[in-house]
Amino acid sequence: MKKRSILIPIDHKWRDLAAYVLLGLELEARGLEVNFCRNTLEHFFIEYYQPDGIILNQVLSEQSEMYTKQWANHGVGVYILPTEGIPTLSGMYKYAVGGFSDLSGVRRIYCWNDISKSRLLENQTIKDNQLVTIGVPRFDFYSNSFKSICLTRAQFNAKYGLSSDRKNLLVATNFTQADFHISNKGFLLQDAKHLRYDGVMNDLGNGVEECARLDYESRKLLIDSVKKMAASGLNANIILKLHPSESHQFYVDELSEKNGQIAIISQELIWDVLMNCDVEIKRSCTTAFESWILEKPTIEFRLNPDEWYQSEIHSCGSFIATSHELLAEATLSALNNPTKFTEKYTTCRESVLDLYCGERDGLRTVTLANDLAKDITNQPPAYWGVRNYKATAIAAALGFNDWMMDDIRVYGLKNFLTGSRIDQLGRLDKHVHYSDIANWRERLAPLVCLKNSEYLGAL
């Protein structure tokens, strides 16, 4: 009998890949066949693999709504597992979790927390039994069980040429619309309309173009502060960790004359960075929660007086810096006495983490895999009928030779031939390759919690 199977599209390989490979290994241990593809190409690969289930990170556009209904009509279980289950802005929360979408084609949504679940319950296209609060599977990597695959401080410092005699100060950027203020405005407006967030942005910050301008100003202020801290002789290694969805060229250009005290990191998993840093400066970003889990001091960067991108949820456990002077003072204090610096934020942090992240036992992926495998196993197999050979041919071409054809499509022939993996939006090496998946399978296989025979025996 053919194995039940699931397709997992991967968006950002520097954010999602490791967690999805771990989930895939756990599902394989429970008897499922698991296949991966690049995000946004799943409508080709679902015809190629004809699975019983598919995992999506969101359903926001009319096109994605249409596909989920088509797949559901084939008996495919459509599951939503958010990669960001705690939208930072209160005005975008309902939109970002899918509260305004037609989710009638979705079988199950795995919420990070009950707050997301309650927002989704306002959506008339879904029912309570479709929603499962699971916690945050990708936060499993902060548990002791995964220490063996993480970089040590010595390895991290050596990899980026950082002085071992200094503490590490992390400046983490978040996803912004900033580059669209000076380029690709047409894409921004088209994307806002396609994903239907233009109306929400009008309510939050006077429209998508104005938000892009304000993002650009905030980013310039951030770079100015990084330069000032470096010039001040701060006794710390300054690490600028770029969000995988940001244009990286901006930072490279701005810091082209940087000294050895500043390291720009783009291609690194966030937990390897956070675990090896002592203080984080951030802007209403999910990395704040991750720093709190690790009990690190955090500073909220809010130097733009017209800042629109701010979240009290993500800021309450951090010192809020509204000027460079306050930022510099807080940074020194946090580096010199981290325990004292974070004392007054401890209660707030624990409350927020409990409310928005749930259990942090390192077993959220296991719990998710148990529920997914049970649900797919208990449903009738998907009934696909005649294969769509055009779609399968396109899938085969796109994935040929470790995604060579798709790399040419994404990066352009010239960039592909020169080895430059920067796409049209300035994102560096965002897209997954089969070789990346193979690498993570090898690293994570020893950490899979359950063998297939044990799971089947428990059913």
Side-chain angles (χ1 to χ4, degrees), residues 13 20 32 66-67 82 96 104 135 150 160 175 181 204 231 233 247 251 267 315-316 361 373 388 413 416 439 451:
K13 86 177 187 184
Y20 275 141
L32 270 66
M66 176 191 71
Y67 282 134
S104 56
C150 297
Y160 293 105
F175 175 71
H181 173 57
L204 282 173
S247 171
Y251 298 99
Q267 296 167 283
S315 304
C316 68
D361 54 6
N388 183 330
L413 181 59
F416 173 77
N439 175 54
K451 301 303 179 187

Side-chain angles (χ1 to χ4, degrees), residues 217-236:
E217 288 185 4
S218 293
R219 193 165 66 170
K220 289 286 285 184
L221 287 167
L222 178 65
I223 291 299
D224 289 343
S225 283
V226 170
K227 289 178 178 178
K228 288 178 181 178
M229 283 190 286
S232 72
L234 180 69
N235 187 29

Side-chain angles (χ1 to χ4, degrees), residues 104-375:
S104 56
V106 175
R107 182 181 292 173
R108 189 161 298 190
I109 300 174
Y110 293 102
C111 305
W112 283 17
N113 49 64
D114 286 334
I115 295 174
S116 294
K117 182 177 179 179
S118 66
R119 293 294 177 92
L120 281 164
L121 282 173
E122 298 171 17
N123 188 323
Q124 298 301 308
T125 65
I126 55 177
K127 298 181 177 63
D128 183 39
N129 61 5
Q130 292 174 266
L131 303 175
V132 179
T133 300
I134 198 71
V136 190
R138 67 181 173 92
F139 284 6
D140 284 350
F141 286 87
Y142 292 102
S143 70
N144 289 332
S145 304
F146 293 89
K147 284 279 180 71
S148 62
I149 67 162
C150 297
L151 293 174
T152 65
R153 177 70 67 111
Q155 290 170 330
F156 180 79
N157 285 353
K159 183 173 182 178
Y160 293 105
L162 305 173
S163 171
S164 59
D165 297 328
R166 291 172 164 174
K167 289 188 175 181
N168 292 336
L169 170 65
L170 171 63
V171 181
T173 72
N174 62 330
F175 175 71
T176 72
Q177 310 280 346
D179 267 48
F180 299 117
H181 173 57
I182 54 177
S183 63
N184 284 319
K185 284 188 179 181
F187 173 85
L188 173 64
L189 297 174
Q190 182 183 17
D191 186 61
K193 186 175 182 180
H194 172 66
L195 294 178
R196 299 181 293 189
Y197 63 82
D198 47 348
V200 178
M201 299 295 275
N202 288 336
D203 294 337
L204 282 173
N206 298 318
V208 290
E209 288 189 80
E210 176 63 7
C211 287
R213 184 187 69 79
L214 294 172
D215 273 346
Y216 186 81
E217 288 185 4
S218 293
R219 193 165 66 170
K220 289 286 285 184
L221 287 167
L222 178 65
I223 291 299
D224 289 343
S225 283
V226 170
K227 289 178 178 178
K228 288 178 181 178
M229 283 190 286
S232 72
L234 180 69
N235 187 29
N237 299 308
I238 300 175
I239 297 164
L240 187 62
K241 173 62 176 73
L242 307 184
H243 190 284
S245 276
E246 269 212 281
S247 171
H248 298 177
Q249 195 59 44
F250 170 87
Y251 298 99
V252 173
D253 291 343
E254 286 288 324
L255 296 170
S256 58
E257 297 179 1
K258 65 182 182 298
N259 59 34
Q261 192 178 354
I262 304 174
I264 301 178
I265 298 179
S266 56
Q267 296 167 283
E268 193 66 81
L269 294 161
I270 188 61
W271 50 78
D272 273 330
V273 179
L274 287 171
M275 287 181 183
N276 291 299
C277 288
D278 301 286
V279 176
E280 182 192 6
I281 298 171
K282 47 78 185 181
R283 178 175 172 242
S284 290
C285 183
T286 306
T287 56
F289 292 166
E290 294 162 273
S291 284
W292 299 351
I293 290 171
L294 296 169
E295 300 181 350
K296 309 273 186 176
T298 54
I299 301 170
E300 172 79 1
F301 186 88
R302 202 175 291 176
L303 270 63
N304 187 349
D306 298 319
E307 182 63 74
W308 73 277
Y309 199 101
Q310 54 182 288
S311 163
E312 293 312 311
I313 296 168
H314 287 74
S315 304
C316 68
S318 308
F319 177 88
I320 298 176
T322 55
S323 70
H324 177 74
E325 290 71 28
L326 286 173
L327 177 67
E329 182 181 330
T331 299
L332 278 174
S333 176
L335 287 168
N336 292 333
N337 197 336
T339 302
K340 183 177 180 180
F341 185 88
T342 56
E343 275 179 354
K344 63 180 177 181
Y345 304 113
T346 301
T347 301
C348 171
R349 288 180 173 196
E350 287 300 318
S351 175
V352 168
L353 289 173
D354 289 343
L355 194 59
Y356 288 90
C357 301
E359 292 187 69
R360 303 181 295 283
D361 54 6
L363 297 173
R364 297 302 87 209
T365 303
V366 171
T367 304
L368 171 62
N370 286 341
D371 191 86
L372 268 170
K374 183 178 180 181
D375 190 72

Side-chain angles (χ1 to χ4, degrees), residues 15-24 137-138 141 271 365 444:
R15 180 193 63 189
D16 308 327
L17 174 59
Y20 275 141
V21 171
L22 177 64
L23 175 60
R138 67 181 173 92
F141 286 87
W271 50 78
T365 303
L444 291 169

Side-chain angles (χ1 to χ4, degrees), residues 46-59:
I46 200 167
E47 294 285 350
Y48 184 84
Y49 290 114
Q50 296 193 335
D52 298 289
I54 183 171
I55 297 175
L56 304 177
N57 59 14
Q58 59 187 8
V59 174

